[in-house]
Amino acid sequence: ARECVASVVPLDTKCRNCGSYDLRVKEIGSSSNDSGLVPVKVCVFNRQLMQEEGQVLTLLFEQSVAMDMRVGFVIEATLYKLDNGQHFIDSITMVWPSYTPLDYLEVF
């Protein structure tokens, strides 16, 4: 694991903050580096207002995961921000397809 992470993030990086967010997939890139990771652009999605909020973040996913993603998916996840400005997902609670009427869903 250290070898995989060290090529993307310096090992002395510390976590600045974290929280549970709904992230909407905006764009799925292609694997263009030696690590085989795929850049995916997401933004925080406010389910109550049914709108996107905040800046667009770029997260890196393994190719096997990214190939099953679609633009518009909403990912319920715990998002961490590191002191170098990078973000990562620690856990995913749920993935909703783009056609799900999220304003009608009850929280599980």
Side-chain angles (χ1 to χ4, degrees):
R2 285 179 154 268
E3 292 172 10
C4 179
V5 172
S7 67
V8 179
V9 178
L11 295 178
D12 60 346
T13 304
K14 305 235 183 311
C15 181
R16 273 185 40 198
N17 58 22
C18 71
S20 181
Y21 294 96
D22 290 339
L23 304 171
R24 177 164 284 196
V25 176
K26 304 271 297 165
E27 180 181 322
I28 303 167
S30 59
S31 178
S32 60
N33 54 31
D34 294 335
S35 68
L37 299 174
V38 176
V40 175
K41 294 185 187 246
V42 301
C43 64
V44 174
F45 183 73
N46 184 322
R47 197 183 310 177
Q48 284 72 33
L49 299 176
M50 293 301 291
Q51 66 185 19
E52 297 171 358
E53 297 180 340
Q55 67 181 13
V56 175
L57 309 172
T58 300
L59 302 174
L60 300 174
F61 288 87
E62 292 180 1
Q63 192 166 6
S64 61
V65 174
M67 66 186 272
D68 290 328
M69 293 178 127
R70 301 292 179 264
V71 172
F73 274 16
V74 174
I75 303 168
E76 292 181 28
T78 303
L79 184 70
Y80 287 81
K81 182 175 183 178
L82 302 176
D83 61 3
N84 67 358
Q86 290 184 313
H87 294 82
F88 74 94
I89 292 175
D90 178 51
S91 62
I92 293 177
T93 308
M94 187 74 71
V95 177
W96 301 101
S98 58
Y99 55 81
T100 302
L102 295 172
D103 55 342
Y104 294 111
L105 290 176
E106 291 189 27
V107 178
F108 292 98

